[in-house]
Amino acid sequence: MKVLLSEIENHITPHALEEAQELVSATQEYEINQVEEGYYHCISRQPDYHVEITIKNDGIAIPKCHCTVFKKTRQCRHAIAALLLLRDQILRNLRSKKKSNHEFQATDEVLRKLNVTQLRSFLSSYALSHSTFRAEVLSNFLHLTRTPDYHSLFMDIAPLDKYGQVRLNRNSIKTVRGVSSTLLKHAQQFLKERALAETLRILEATILHLHRLFVKVPQFQEQLMVEMRMAYKIFDGLCSQAMAPRLQIRAINLALDICNRDGYTFPTGMKPLLAIIEPFILEEKTRKSAFILAEKKVQSENSQLIQWASLLLRWTRLWSINISNPAIRKKIQKHLPSVILENNQQGRHEDVLYLVDQVKPDEYSDAIQKVILQTGLRSAKQVGSEEVMIKLAYVLSLNHLDIDSWLFLHEKDPGKAQRILSIIEDMYQPGSDSSADELLLNGWQFTRKGGSIIQRIKAMDQSERLMEFDFMLKDKFRTELETAYAEHIISVRSAYGGIIARQKLNNIFGHLKAMDLFSSVALKIKEMEKEKQDEPTQDNHTIKGFVFDLDGVIVDTAVHHFQSWKKIMKELGIEISDSDDHHTRGAGRMESLEYLLDTYHVILSEEEKQFWASRKNDIYVDAIGGITPSDLLPGALIFLQASRDLGLKLALGSASKNARPVIKKLGVESYFDAVLDGNSAEKSKPDPEIFLNAASALRLDPAEVVVFEDAAKGVQAALAAGCYAVGIGDPSSLSAAQIVIPGLDHSNPSRIIELLS
Ligand code: BG6
Ligand code: MG
């Protein structure tokens, strides 16, 4: 990017300009240094960016930013912001030049007339009375002296009082930061010039004092972190140079000393000092002390525990030292997943692989194990370790049903990937685990196993999903595909009939038309239906009659029964529990009362029992007094009608003595060939008596009868009578029944017979 400073706005898009202007206003701490004629450094610390600008003789400015966006696109908001800032500064200088030139000239004049002794005395007396000025002078020029003493400089500006407390306020913290950043700038320059000893000397003092203040004046920690971060960056840069052994030892000592201090914290996103000097630690003894120090940190440290733990584990790998303390081992084991993620973030892939190997699977949840293995696989790819990649991808696909890993494995070792599909197919029933189904479908799609896809989808009872795959199945598996669609359509039609079936199938029909499969599937349906008609009709009418319970199956009176029990028990001073409904539902009036009295330890005489039983009935009859056909449960009437249409014999089999008046009020009396109520059997459900009586009233064998029941006791009675049982309601309490449906509106008589036959 090349622009004339005066015409920045004409060279870039309004959006980029707006972004850069926002950045300019967010830029709080920055400086622009003229390194040489026509060459500037714009360094912003907050936010962090660094742009070099060259201004050619013809006035064209060429920025160069250090960010990745710039490296890729040759333009970034930092570069534009820096150009704007530089232009501002040049304009400002031009404006103030006139004014200050005069002052400078006067000062110059005076200084030139002074001799060295006078100058020295001026500096020392002025500097003594103005500590900020002195600090500034020293931080700028101390490095020019023979033995610069940076420590004293820091002690001067942040002295300790007699209680060992640092006396620091908002102003002096500014001085400390100013001094630190000036010194660090010198250090940076030294590092550039390869004056490593000088660089280290500045860093030793700066890092030490910044940490000292960091601990002593917590309220300024955030501000001090800015310079600390800069110091760490330079130290990192220094330690990556080939340093003389004696300098390396000094760097090690600095790191050991600082890290050992209480409250030691390193800037977030960076490494602790000990990690920076790791390559220098060659001696067994030093390794041991560094290791022990890291162990101590793990034991005590909490906010940066993960980073210390990851360093410690890295050293167990690199230096073959073991963690002897079981408590530390346990603590680390607990945080191992986070340590792995931290290493991954830092790009330490060898460490990630080493740690993934240490993971004890049973200690973490499935989800965490999966993340760990996925991280391991990513690192193995980085490191290029084929064997580990295959191992991890294998476990991820087999144990965690991870599709991406399976695809990767297939690329590397198709044989193994194939084996996984067979194992999973054997291990998981279709529809029992959706991840297994997905993996299989994906895998087969990839390996073009169309037949297996069709079979699985059919067995999952989700034939509409064929639509996702038929583009690949259409050519090679056309016949199987058409058959599967045809079977699905026929079964939806027979389960739901007319309008509902059409609604459900609309989507598929549209799709089949689009895929040009509609007419062939329609043909197939015709063929299949014809085959069925042509089949010799054997006498499979084993089911000839239906017996319906009343309360909770045809009408929603079950709730009134229970409310009435609640009421009379309350009158008896007892609050019954909702779970008692399970025991009174389906049972006769007296049996229910006995159960409640027993459960709540109420002792009554025979007469009293009669009294409370009839009191309950009064309340119940009162509650259902206004019952009309609109109180029939959804689907009940259609179901009764459809049952009749099929020529089935129908009976009512209820324990309620109120059954007859109730079906009358509901207007369904005429549907039943026989009505058996609370007076028709001596024994209450679960005794089979009432259903045996119902079967015989219909002149059928109980094995030819299907009973519809909402009570577990009723299902038990039906099965004990030798009838089929269809549970209406919650599958968890009706699981003994052959079929459970939420209500009669969820099925139809033919479907029930088909399922039971
Ligand atoms: C059953 C109900 O249908 O009839 C039971 O599920 C009830 O809750 C039983 O106890 C007897 O009813 P009634 O109307 O004779 O008291
Ligand atoms: Mg019932």
Side-chain angles (χ1 to χ4, degrees):
M1 149 183 214
K2 294 179 180 176
V3 287
L4 262 177
L5 271 191
S6 52
E7 289 179 9
I8 299 177
E9 285 79 356
N10 302 340
H11 287 281
I12 50 177
T13 64
H15 175 67
L17 181 67
E18 201 178 304
E19 266 192 355
Q21 276 163 343
E22 259 173 42
L23 182 61
V24 167
S25 45
T27 302
Q28 302 296 351
E29 287 185 48
Y30 76 101
E31 57 195 58
I32 298 181
N33 300 325
Q34 182 167 15
V35 182
E36 57 193 56
E37 186 67 33
Y39 181 53
Y40 298 87
H41 270 194
C42 173
I43 303 164
S44 163
R45 239 166 272 136
Q46 198 71 293
D48 190 9
Y49 58 92
H50 181 176
V51 179
E52 290 162 29
I53 302 172
T54 312
I55 300 191
K56 296 273 185 67
N57 288 342
D58 52 5
I60 299 270
I62 308 170
K64 181 178 163 212
C65 179
H66 289 259
C67 76
T68 35
V69 178
F70 183 84
K71 279 179 192 150
K72 277 194 194 137
T73 64
R74 311 308 299 165
Q75 193 184 78
C76 68
R77 58 204 180 99
H78 305 135
I80 305 167
L83 289 173
L84 293 171
L85 287 168
L86 176 63
R87 185 174 67 184
D88 268 9
Q89 171 162 315
I90 292 174
L91 288 177
R92 235 181 294 128
N93 284 351
L94 280 179
R95 266 181 239 127
S96 63
K97 211 159 204 165
K98 270 190 203 144
K99 199 175 113 217
S100 59
N101 258 359
H102 172 70
E103 282 169 21
F104 280 140
Q105 275 168 13
T107 323
D108 264 10
E109 200 73 6
V110 174
L111 288 174
R112 221 168 294 135
K113 284 181 188 157
L114 295 176
N115 62 32
V116 175
T117 327
Q118 283 168 324
L119 188 60
R120 196 178 285 154
S121 103
F122 159 74
L123 267 180
S124 53
S125 65
Y126 188 74
L128 270 181
S129 55
H130 292 78
S131 58
T132 317
F133 172 71
R134 181 177 51 179
E136 209 169 289
V137 170
L138 286 177
S139 59
N140 269 304
F141 302 107
L142 204 52
H143 65 280
L144 298 175
T145 62
R146 228 169 296 139
T147 45
D149 183 357
Y150 300 109
H151 283 289
S152 308
L153 170 59
F154 274 110
M155 288 310 282
D156 275 358
I157 49 173
L160 296 182
D161 64 15
K162 61 180 172 183
Y163 305 108
Q165 298 299 323
V166 183
R167 282 185 277 122
L168 221 52
N169 56 28
R170 218 172 283 278
N171 278 335
S172 43
I173 199 82
K174 251 194 208 152
T175 313
V176 170
R177 292 188 59 196
V179 165
S180 309
S181 93
T182 310
L183 291 183
L184 289 170
K185 245 177 274 160
H186 289 307
Q188 213 156 18
Q189 190 54 36
F190 281 140
L191 184 60
K192 233 187 197 166
E193 293 163 5
R194 307 236 156 220
L196 304 187
E198 279 77 3
T199 313
L200 183 57
R201 189 166 323 149
I202 295 181
L203 287 174
E204 277 170 335
T206 318
I207 291 179
L208 187 102
H209 286 280
L210 284 176
H211 272 296
R212 182 175 70 105
L213 296 175
F214 188 85
V215 177
K216 295 262 181 196
V217 285
Q219 68 272 33
F220 295 121
Q221 283 182 348
E222 208 176 310
Q223 297 185 31
L224 291 169
M225 253 320 161
V226 178
E227 280 71 35
M228 188 101 95
R229 196 170 274 281
M230 198 169 156
Y232 269 63
K233 264 192 201 153
I234 303 174
F235 189 63
D236 205 0
L238 173 69
C239 293
S240 57
Q241 307 284 326
M243 274 213 275
R246 91 197 133 75
L247 293 185
Q248 291 188 358
I249 291 172
R250 270 171 53 192
I252 293 176
N253 289 341
L254 173 69
L256 278 170
D257 170 23
I258 307 273
C259 292
N260 215 350
R261 291 169 183 232
D262 285 342
Y264 170 70
T265 313
F266 51 89
T268 35
M270 302 189 103
K271 299 188 266 188
L273 289 173
L274 269 184
I276 299 180
I277 50 113
E278 181 194 273
F280 305 153
I281 317 185
L282 302 173
E283 272 182 34
E284 203 66 31
K285 213 176 101 204
T286 325
R287 284 185 174 176
K288 195 86 206 161
S289 9
F291 195 85
I292 291 172
L293 204 156
E295 277 189 326
K296 231 167 62 186
K297 292 284 172 191
V298 171
Q299 228 169 353
S300 61
E301 185 76 29
N302 275 317
S303 65
Q304 295 184 318
L305 169 84
I306 302 301
Q307 288 82 351
W308 281 110
S310 93
L311 191 59
L312 192 59
L313 287 168
R314 178 177 161 79
W315 287 343
T316 57
R317 175 173 77 86
L318 290 179
W319 300 341
S320 319
I321 309 182
N322 290 330
I323 303 168
S324 51
N325 184 335
I328 300 181
R329 273 210 304 267
K330 205 164 158 210
K331 193 164 180 186
I332 288 189
Q333 193 56 237
K334 189 170 142 211
H335 293 283
L336 201 50
S338 312
V339 173
I340 291 174
L341 295 184
E342 162 74 15
N343 276 293
N344 174 55
Q345 227 164 36
Q346 300 289 339
R348 292 192 293 255
H349 299 295
E350 296 275 2
D351 286 321
V352 170
L353 292 182
Y354 168 72
L355 296 172
V356 168
D357 223 26
Q358 318 256 308
V359 170
K360 293 185 190 142
D362 345 327
E363 291 202 12
Y364 312 103
S365 70
D366 265 8
I368 290 186
Q369 278 181 56
K370 186 171 173 183
V371 173
I372 292 176
L373 292 166
Q374 281 169 332
T375 312
L377 181 55
R378 267 198 304 274
S379 290
K381 285 180 191 170
Q382 291 291 333
V383 173
S385 159
E386 195 91 354
E387 194 188 322
V388 184
M389 280 186 239
I390 291 179
K391 189 177 108 191
L392 292 173
Y394 188 87
V395 181
L396 270 165
S397 23
L398 185 59
N399 295 357
H400 299 279
L401 305 169
D402 183 42
I403 296 177
D404 289 341
S405 303
W406 185 88
L407 291 173
F408 177 74
L409 182 66
H410 186 265
E411 215 177 276
K412 295 279 164 198
D413 189 338
K416 271 204 171 109
Q418 200 60 55
R419 229 166 300 136
I420 285 186
L421 293 186
S422 323
I423 300 175
I424 292 179
E425 189 183 5
D426 286 348
M427 229 157 86
Y428 296 91
Q429 288 292 320
S432 66
D433 183 309
S434 57
S435 308
D437 288 332
E438 288 319 307
L439 180 72
L440 287 173
L441 293 178
N442 268 282
W444 287 332
Q445 185 177 3
F446 209 75
T447 49
R448 311 246 138 217
K449 295 267 163 33
S452 307
I453 294 183
I454 298 175
Q455 258 180 26
R456 185 94 185 170
I457 288 182
K458 268 164 62 176
M460 283 157 65
D461 207 9
Q462 291 179 14
S463 295
E464 61 286 349
R465 289 205 55 192
L466 284 169
M467 292 191 278
E468 290 166 39
F469 299 91
D470 54 8
F471 63 94
M472 68 154 285
L473 302 171
K474 216 176 109 180
D475 295 335
K476 280 199 175 164
F477 298 89
R478 195 175 181 104
T479 320
E480 289 93 326
L481 193 61
E482 287 167 355
T483 312
Y485 274 125
E487 281 171 1
H488 177 61
I489 293 167
I490 290 173
S491 94
V492 172
R493 274 188 190 159
S494 80
Y496 297 96
I499 301 171
I500 300 180
R502 213 166 309 134
Q503 276 171 355
K504 286 193 181 289
L505 293 170
N506 245 346
N507 205 3
I508 292 192
F509 288 157
H511 174 83
L512 291 178
K513 276 179 194 153
M515 293 295 290
D516 207 13
L517 279 167
F518 188 74
S519 40
S520 52
V521 171
L523 206 69
K524 189 97 208 166
I525 293 174
K526 263 195 198 137
E527 275 170 29
M528 285 166 82
E529 279 175 342
K530 188 158 184 300
E531 267 168 33
K532 208 169 172 199
Q533 277 169 13
D534 294 347
E535 267 173 24
T537 41
Q538 341 141 321
D539 186 27
N540 58 357
H541 285 112
T542 44
I543 293 170
K544 295 182 178 156
F546 283 176
V547 177
F548 297 89
D549 172 46
L550 174 66
D551 299 314
V553 172
I554 288 178
V555 60
D556 193 14
T557 39
V559 42
H560 297 300
H561 276 296
F562 191 62
Q563 287 306 331
S564 313
W565 287 125
K566 252 191 169 160
K567 233 179 189 160
I568 63 134
M569 289 303 283
K570 197 159 186 193
E571 289 173 14
L572 279 165
I574 285 171
E575 204 73 59
I576 65 172
S577 138
D578 285 347
S579 59
D580 291 322
D581 179 42
H582 180 67
H583 298 275
T584 54
R585 192 177 276 247
R589 194 182 306 166
M590 226 33 191
E591 285 76 10
S592 297
L593 178 65
E594 297 278 9
Y595 161 79
L596 291 171
L597 297 178
D598 251 21
T599 306
Y600 293 96
H601 314 294
V602 183
I603 299 171
L604 297 180
S605 70
E606 223 24 68
E607 277 145 37
E608 284 169 325
K609 283 183 190 168
Q610 290 301 335
F611 167 80
W612 286 109
S614 78
R615 167 114 187 93
K616 179 262 169 183
N617 193 47
D618 290 346
I619 296 172
Y620 173 71
V621 170
D622 207 31
I624 61 162
I627 221 163
T628 68
S630 66
D631 291 300
L632 280 164
L633 278 166
L637 195 60
I638 296 176
F639 202 97
L640 288 172
Q641 183 61 53
S643 309
R644 273 240 160 268
D645 293 348
L646 281 183
L648 294 163
K649 290 186 176 173
L650 308 187
L652 189 80
S654 165
S656 171
K657 292 186 172 143
N658 294 297
R660 276 178 193 279
V662 170
I663 54 168
K664 219 178 223 164
K665 283 185 188 170
L666 293 172
V668 292
E669 197 185 13
S670 60
Y671 284 95
F672 298 105
D673 302 299
V675 174
L676 291 101
D677 65 4
N679 302 306
S680 316
E682 282 181 10
K683 292 185 207 125
S684 168
K685 298 171 190 175
D687 192 281
E689 187 183 354
I690 189 149
F691 294 127
L692 289 172
N693 292 347
S696 91
L698 295 177
R699 299 178 189 286
L700 295 175
D701 189 290
E704 297 170 323
V705 170
V706 182
V707 171
F708 295 82
E709 257 295 351
D710 70 313
K713 282 190 170 51
V715 168
Q716 238 177 303
L719 296 175
C723 304
Y724 292 103
V726 174
I728 306 286
D730 176 14
S732 62
S733 55
L734 301 169
S735 55
Q738 278 95 353
I739 303 173
V740 181
I741 52 175
L744 291 175
D745 54 339
H746 281 72
S747 191
N748 61 47
S750 343
R751 178 85 180 135
I752 296 284
I753 293 175
E754 185 189 320
L755 289 172
L756 290 174
S757 337

